[in-house]
Amino acid sequence: MSTRPNKELLNRSYLVYFSLTLLGLAIIGKALFIQVAEGVELREKAESLTTVFRDIEAVRGNIYADDGSMLATSIPIYEVRMDMNADGLTDEVFDQHLDSLCIALSDLFQDKTAIDWKRELLEQRNRGNRYHLIKRKVNFHQMKAMRDFPIFDLGRYKGGFIVLQQNRREKPFRLLAARTIGYSREGVTPVGLEGAYQKELAGVSGKRLMQKISGGVWMPINDENEVEPQDGYDVHTTINLNIQDVAENALLKQLQLHDADHGSVILMEVETGEIKAIANLSKDEDGDYWEYYNHAIGESTEPGSTFKLASLVTAIEDGYVSLTDSVETGNGKAEFHGELMRDSKEGGYGKISIKEVFAVSSNIGVMRMIERYYAKQPEKFIKGLKRMKLGESIGIEIAGEGEPLIKDPSDNSWSLITPLWTSIGYEVQETPLQILTFYNAIANDGKMIKPKFIRKITDKSSVVREQPVEVISERICSEKTAKLGQELLEAVVQNGTATNLKNANYAIAGKTGTARIANSSQGYGKKITYQASFAGYFPADNPKYSCIVVVNAPNRSHYYASHVAGPIFEEIADKVYATSINIHDELERQTDINSLTHIPVSKNGAQQDLFTVFDQLDIPIESTHPDNKWVITQTGPDKVT
């Protein structure tokens, strides 16, 4: 037999063997090369795919009222999880302390029995779950107590105790000034002060290293953050809680009484522009009232008769008018460029002075006066209005300010009657805050102050920034003109359309406004709706606070401003006057020994409360104003008046 085939077969076997050996050596060499030369880089790359730095939300700053009361704060809420394969969690430790841990969890949360907890933790231990959810929405005190529970108290990384912090925004006073405080939510445009001071309140996010584990879950690698977040700054507002509460309740009461669609109130400090109260309420489908929208800031509408003050101030400043000048208003009906205008009084007012025209709110009187002096130069009238900043936005920090509108001759919709309509508050648009800012300037002798909502921003106890008083215009008109404007406003309450606001304790100055509301698609339409407003300030002789009230779409039976908006203004003014020491003159100290009395001295306050107290003390009382809600008391030798 020939040996040649066997030799060829053997050679082929050697070739295959050496080839496989070389291939194996090549694989081993490549593996060693990857392990040694490229290992560090590849391990870092692999780790980067499973570990990332996640942002840790900073604690949002607080928002405070003017007295330091908290309007909004962030409460830390924790999510607690457990790593069942933690380094220190041996079988011996787990078995020895599991019962104690389950009893502690059951006692703390009281939603499961200790047996249920034990069954759950044993099951997750067997599965090797490294990120088991123990509890969501755990408060700080619960989280702190859990750190001392058996197993969890083994220390960092050993007991498997994992804490994730979240922050929940809370308003301690619930709905009080809710829309002005606003909110900041993910995916939603921030609103109110929360939005205006988002950067200051938000703080700086921290960083935490997280690892991706089975199930696509991200688990923190370390107990603590790699970069700690920096808390946000605190914002101190000008809002006064007591006045805000009175404003909201007074507004709500009148809206319900007149079945109105919505309404708003703003109270501002004359000298500083500080907003002490701002309330907005709208009726929902069920007839309940809630603060859905900031009408005071965002709703730009035809103001109606409250705009007449701007028209007369313009004419006075231009030197055309004095308060004693006369205007013929006729029988209460007059035609202007083909359109019929009426006054509210049947039969008209006849020939009356400019001061009376304003006091009784005669549309015909104002329009005839503007026509007399500006018919041939309407641009001068418009220029006068804009000189007083009425055509400009205020530029407040809260987003959503409505755009004002004052037409001029270049406007496409301008007509011969436009300046006349403008003079009585139609074909013009202003927000309640813009009108109030103008009235506040008249109360401030012509100096226009920018409304402000915050006093300062702080980092804990240190002041980061103080909000100064900002002046929009040092002089929107001469001081003499402003004084005449004040005289006009006082006449409205003394003998005009708002005599129901007259009282013996202090004087109010202001102007009523009852305007028809135009529907954007149908004009004024057949179904007439009204907007009732009152803008003014108090005390009239030394203005401290300005205020505007706007009630939209009261029912048809009562829609005049004096009976819809006026009572809201009065209730707020009474409360502020009764509780603000800086408004009252300092009392003279009693030095006469004969003036002393055995009857206890009482502070001013709510009349019904005083009746109750003095009745219990069996002290005689006498009331000169039995219908007033708020009264001043005077203690005599044998009774209290």
Side-chain angles (χ1 to χ4, degrees):
M1 180 183 289
S2 174
T3 60
R4 181 174 291 228
N6 292 336
K7 191 174 182 180
E8 288 181 2
L9 182 62
L10 185 62
N11 289 336
R12 289 178 182 178
S13 298
Y14 285 144
L15 180 62
V16 171
Y17 172 77
F18 283 119
S19 297
L20 291 174
T21 301
L22 290 173
L23 179 62
L25 290 173
I27 292 172
I28 293 171
K30 183 63 176 177
L32 289 172
F33 177 78
I34 292 173
Q35 182 73 20
V36 177
E38 298 179 344
V40 175
E41 181 182 349
L42 291 174
R43 277 193 295 272
E44 288 180 353
K45 187 174 182 180
E47 189 175 348
S48 69
L49 295 174
T50 57
T51 61
V52 296
F53 281 103
R54 288 288 181 92
D55 286 340
I56 301 300
E57 182 185 6
V59 176
R60 195 171 178 83
N62 298 324
I63 299 178
Y64 295 99
D66 65 350
D67 64 350
S69 299
M70 198 172 287
L71 295 175
T73 188
S74 289
I75 298 176
I77 299 296
Y78 302 92
E79 182 176 290
V80 176
R81 291 182 176 267
M82 186 175 181
D83 181 1
M84 294 299 181
N85 287 340
D87 293 344
L89 208 55
T90 63
D91 289 340
E92 181 182 356
V93 170
F94 186 79
D95 293 340
Q96 183 179 352
H97 298 288
L98 178 60
D99 287 342
S100 299
L101 173 60
C102 293
I103 291 171
L105 289 171
S106 179
D107 289 343
L108 181 63
F109 298 117
Q110 297 185 349
D111 58 348
K112 298 178 186 177
T113 65
I115 295 175
D116 290 334
W117 277 111
K118 185 174 182 178
R119 186 183 300 113
E120 177 182 321
L121 296 183
L122 280 171
E123 180 183 350
Q124 298 303 320
R125 171 75 169 175
N126 293 332
R127 290 183 180 181
N129 192 338
R130 303 204 61 194
Y131 202 54
H132 174 58
L133 175 65
I134 298 295
K135 196 74 175 176
R136 288 192 174 96
K137 297 182 180 179
V138 176
N139 64 42
F140 175 77
H141 298 292
Q142 291 172 328
M143 184 275 296
K144 190 175 180 182
M146 291 176 74
R147 286 191 181 278
D148 297 326
F149 283 3
I151 298 180
F152 291 164
D153 63 354
L154 293 177
R156 293 177 61 186
Y157 316 123
K158 295 182 179 180
F161 186 61
I162 301 171
V163 177
L164 301 174
Q165 180 178 328
Q166 300 169 325
N167 298 308
R168 186 178 68 199
R169 203 65 171 164
E170 290 284 348
K171 295 185 177 79
F173 292 94
R174 302 296 179 186
L175 298 178
L176 206 64
R179 193 70 188 184
T180 303
I181 298 168
Y183 53 80
S184 177
R185 300 170 188 159
E186 189 174 349
V188 180
T189 303
V191 168
L193 293 171
E194 293 273 19
Y197 294 95
Q198 169 73 7
K199 183 179 178 181
E200 292 84 350
L201 288 164
V204 180
S205 298
K207 297 290 183 182
R208 191 168 192 179
L209 193 59
M210 308 280 278
Q211 183 179 29
K212 195 172 186 179
I213 61 176
S214 61
V217 177
W218 290 94
M219 183 183 78
I221 292 177
N222 302 316
D223 270 6
E224 296 181 357
N225 301 321
E226 276 60 39
V227 178
E228 289 297 327
Q230 298 176 25
D231 293 350
Y233 294 148
D234 296 329
V235 171
H236 299 255
T237 76
T238 61
I239 300 294
N240 181 284
L241 281 175
N242 291 329
I243 300 174
Q244 179 72 31
D245 186 45
V246 171
E248 290 190 12
N249 281 293
L251 178 62
L252 176 61
K253 186 165 59 179
Q254 286 296 315
L255 291 179
Q256 291 173 333
L257 179 64
H258 298 287
D259 191 29
D261 182 73
H262 64 268
S264 59
V265 174
I266 317 171
L267 182 80
M268 182 162 68
E269 207 169 65
V270 169
E271 190 175 353
T272 65
E274 288 192 358
I275 301 296
K276 309 310 294 183
I278 177 168
N280 300 273
L281 294 173
S282 304
K283 185 169 63 174
D284 64 14
E285 294 178 353
D286 298 324
D288 298 320
Y289 289 92
W290 303 95
E291 199 163 23
Y292 294 117
Y293 179 73
N294 201 327
H295 299 282
I297 290 174
E299 187 172 40
S300 189
T301 61
E302 293 176 315
S305 293
T306 54
F307 199 78
K308 290 174 182 174
L309 177 65
S311 302
L312 290 181
V313 167
T314 298
I316 293 170
E317 185 73 357
D318 285 344
Y320 293 135
V321 173
S322 68
L323 303 194
T324 56
D325 288 349
S326 298
V327 177
E328 180 58 65
T329 65
N331 63 0
K333 298 178 184 178
E335 191 173 290
F336 295 90
H337 301 289
E339 295 202 28
L340 183 66
M341 175 53 61
R342 300 174 184 270
D343 278 338
S344 59
K345 182 184 177 182
E346 192 68 30
Y349 298 102
K351 191 174 185 179
I352 54 177
S353 69
I354 292 295
K355 186 174 181 179
E356 291 172 313
V357 164
F358 189 80
V360 300
S361 199
S362 169
N363 294 322
I364 295 172
V366 173
M367 293 175 77
R368 279 189 170 157
M369 184 268 296
I370 295 300
E371 185 179 46
R372 180 187 302 172
Y373 298 110
Y374 294 101
K376 295 182 179 180
Q377 48 178 357
E379 67 282 349
K380 185 173 183 179
F381 174 58
I382 300 302
K383 185 178 179 180
L385 294 175
K386 293 185 176 182
R387 182 175 61 233
M388 297 185 291
K389 308 297 182 182
L390 285 166
E392 302 175 13
S393 297
I394 298 170
I396 56 173
E397 54 267 53
I398 294 178
E401 180 182 1
E403 287 292 329
L405 170 66
I406 295 181
K407 296 179 182 179
D408 59 44
S410 65
D411 196 287
N412 290 333
S413 61
W414 179 272
S415 67
L416 290 175
I417 201 173
T418 295
L420 304 186
W421 278 121
T422 298
S423 70
I424 61 171
Y426 291 95
E427 290 198 35
V428 57
Q429 291 187 341
E430 301 282 343
T431 68
L433 185 60
Q434 289 160 0
I435 290 291
L436 178 62
T437 303
F438 169 69
Y439 271 70
N440 193 80
I442 297 300
N444 212 17
D445 295 334
K447 187 177 184 179
M448 182 174 278
I449 305 295
K450 182 180 178 179
K452 71 173 185 174
F453 293 84
I454 73 158
R455 287 179 170 175
K456 60 184 178 181
I457 295 172
T458 62
D459 182 10
K460 305 297 186 286
S461 58
S462 61
V463 177
V464 176
R465 185 174 86 237
E466 291 199 54
Q467 189 76 1
V469 175
E470 293 186 52
V471 179
I472 296 175
S473 174
E474 286 287 349
R475 188 68 59 192
I476 64 168
C477 63
S478 67
E479 185 174 345
K480 180 181 178 182
T481 299
K483 292 292 185 185
L484 292 174
Q486 294 170 14
E487 189 176 336
L488 288 172
L489 293 170
E490 290 175 38
V492 173
V493 178
Q494 291 304 311
N495 45 39
T497 56
T499 53
N500 59 313
L501 301 185
K502 191 192 309 185
N503 69 77
N505 297 325
Y506 65 97
I508 291 173
K511 180 71 183 76
T512 56
T514 306
R516 287 190 180 190
I517 302 172
N519 182 289
S520 57
S521 60
Q522 302 173 359
Y524 294 99
K526 294 181 179 180
K527 184 180 179 181
I528 301 174
T529 54
Y530 291 91
Q531 176 178 282
S533 58
F534 187 89
Y537 54 85
F538 61 94
D541 55 349
N542 184 23
K544 294 293 184 183
Y545 296 97
S546 58
C547 181
I548 188 168
V549 178
V550 179
V551 177
N552 194 287
N555 62 43
R556 289 293 306 280
S557 59
H558 292 90
Y559 55 83
Y560 281 109
S562 57
H563 293 96
V564 177
I568 302 172
F569 186 103
E570 181 181 32
E571 185 170 344
I572 296 169
D574 282 349
K575 173 65 175 181
V576 173
Y577 183 80
T579 57
S580 299
I581 297 175
N582 62 331
I583 288 182
H584 303 281
D585 296 329
E586 188 174 346
L587 297 175
E588 294 183 7
R589 184 179 296 277
Q590 294 279 3
T591 56
D592 184 4
I593 193 67
N594 294 324
S595 66
L596 298 178
T597 174
H598 67 283
I599 297 180
V601 175
S602 165
K603 291 185 176 181
N604 306 330
Q607 183 161 214
Q608 191 55 51
D609 293 344
L610 293 169
F611 279 155
T612 302
V613 172
F614 285 125
D615 182 60
Q616 289 293 318
L617 295 174
D618 198 24
I619 295 173
I621 54 176
E622 177 185 350
S623 177
T624 59
H625 296 82
D627 296 329
N628 280 13
K629 183 176 181 181
W630 301 94
V631 294
I632 295 172
T633 64
Q634 185 175 11
T635 302
D638 55 0
K639 66 180 178 180
V640 173
T641 302

